[in-house]
């Protein structure tokens, strides 16, 4: 992965994040082990927009093995919560049963932001099975 730290008054700033993000989407289309390694590196990138792109690009591999990386992000969390949501969306696309289980776990949690992100990911998945945990959460919230 490339990095372009450009000098900025008193510090350096990475200007290659957008390029790395675009490269991850392209690599994901090729699939295979090398793409998964690149995506894993992207998930560990210091820039949240690169981590988000890597999480989104997981679904582009079409490989069930990419689901393992998505689960890791979901379980470990990320300071940029959108990265977790993107990983959940990829998991729902790659392994719907696993994605539904993870989304349901997040829906039942205490972190309101993650509850909202999980609900959005379920809705965006367009999976008929996603309606059940959403209805259950609505019922639980009104009790």
């Amino acid at each position: 992965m490339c990095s372009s730290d450009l000098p900025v008054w008193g510090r350096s700033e990475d200007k290659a994040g957008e390029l790395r993000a675009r490269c991850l989407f392209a690599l994901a289309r090729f699939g295979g082990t090398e793409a998964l390694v690149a995506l894993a590196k992207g998930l560990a990138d210091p820039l949240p927009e690169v981590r988000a792109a890597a999480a989104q690009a997981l679904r582009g591999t079409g490989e069930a093995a990419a689901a393992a990386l998505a689960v890791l992000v979901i379980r470990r969390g990320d300071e940029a919560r959108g990265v977790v949501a993107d990983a959940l969306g990829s998991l729902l696309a790659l392994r719907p049963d696993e994605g539904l289980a993870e989304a349901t776990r997040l829906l039942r949690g205490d972190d309101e932001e993650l509850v909202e992100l999980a609900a959005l990911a379920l809705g965006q998945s367009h999976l008929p099975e996603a309606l059940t945990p959403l209805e259950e959460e609505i019922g639980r919230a009104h009790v």
Side-chain angles (χ1 to χ4, degrees), residues 43-142:
L43 291 168
D45 196 276
L47 296 178
E49 56 268 27
V50 177
R51 295 193 308 274
Q56 293 169 22
L58 290 172
R59 82 179 71 196
T61 67
E63 296 185 28
L69 292 173
V71 170
L72 180 63
V73 171
I74 295 163
R75 290 291 177 115
R76 257 191 112 204
D78 193 289
E79 62 189 32
R81 296 300 182 89
V83 174
V84 175
D86 291 330
L88 185 55
S90 288
L91 184 60
L92 284 160
L94 292 165
R95 304 247 341 228
D97 290 343
E98 288 288 325
L100 287 168
E102 288 297 320
T104 300
R105 182 182 65 77
L106 292 175
L107 276 175
R108 294 181 179 153
D110 295 329
D111 186 322
E112 288 184 31
E113 187 177 2
L114 285 178
V115 169
E116 183 178 330
L117 291 172
L120 288 170
L122 283 169
Q124 291 172 348
S125 75
H126 299 286
L127 294 170
E129 303 89 356
L131 189 56
T132 302
L134 288 170
E135 290 175 333
E136 290 171 359
E137 180 57 25
I138 290 169
R140 188 175 78 90
H142 284 36

Side-chain angles (χ1 to χ4, degrees), residues 30-39 63:
F30 287 106
T33 305
E34 305 223 355
L36 291 175
V37 169
L39 290 170
E63 296 185 28

